[in-house]
Amino acid sequence: MEDDNVSIQADEVEAMCAIYGQEWTAINEVTRTYNMCIKLDKQREVNLELSLPPKYPTEEPPFYQLSAPWLKSYDRLQLTQSLEDVYCEHIGESILYIWVEKIREYLRNKFGLQH
């Protein structure tokens, strides 16, 4: 099953590169750690750092960390809860794209992100 996960992860990472281009970067491909930079405007961005454990996506979620110093704690909590909800709704499925789009949707609704 772990080999299947590695193959699924490789396909998902390839898709993320194709969809997001320079916004999606590999931090360390050996440890399967990546960063997605979502810009709100010239001064504000959200960085989503992701690590894909061997049992992702079939048995475990990705590990993640949100970095957005300008984001208030209440908004960060809401955003984190949204990501957790997405995982629970899609257990066993690839969710990186869904997470990124959930962050974009949150920023668009809350702050008027234009992308």
Side-chain angles (χ1 to χ4, degrees), residues 14-87:
E14 185 177 334
M16 296 295 284
C17 288
I19 294 167
Y20 296 111
Q22 293 181 350
E23 292 174 289
W24 175 265
T25 55
I27 295 173
N28 185 326
E29 291 184 5
V30 174
T31 61
R32 295 185 297 267
T33 305
Y34 304 92
N35 187 71
M36 179 68 198
C37 180
I38 303 163
K39 293 186 184 280
L40 179 60
D41 54 35
K42 290 181 180 182
Q43 283 90 28
R44 297 180 296 177
E45 63 186 28
V46 173
N47 283 290
L48 175 65
E49 186 174 311
L50 299 152
S51 294
L52 308 180
K55 293 182 181 182
Y56 169 78
T58 58
E59 297 176 42
E60 290 182 351
F63 301 114
Y64 72 95
Q65 181 173 344
L66 285 171
S67 175
W70 58 272
L71 199 60
K72 294 181 181 174
S73 28
Y74 174 76
D75 293 321
R76 182 183 305 274
L77 183 62
Q78 277 191 316
L79 193 49
T80 300
Q81 186 60 55
S82 293
L83 297 181
E84 300 291 330
D85 291 346
V86 166
Y87 173 71

Side-chain angles (χ1 to χ4, degrees), residues 86-98:
V86 166
Y87 173 71
C88 290
E89 293 166 9
H90 297 276
I91 290 176
E93 300 174 23
S94 298
I95 62 167
L96 302 183
Y97 174 80
I98 301 169

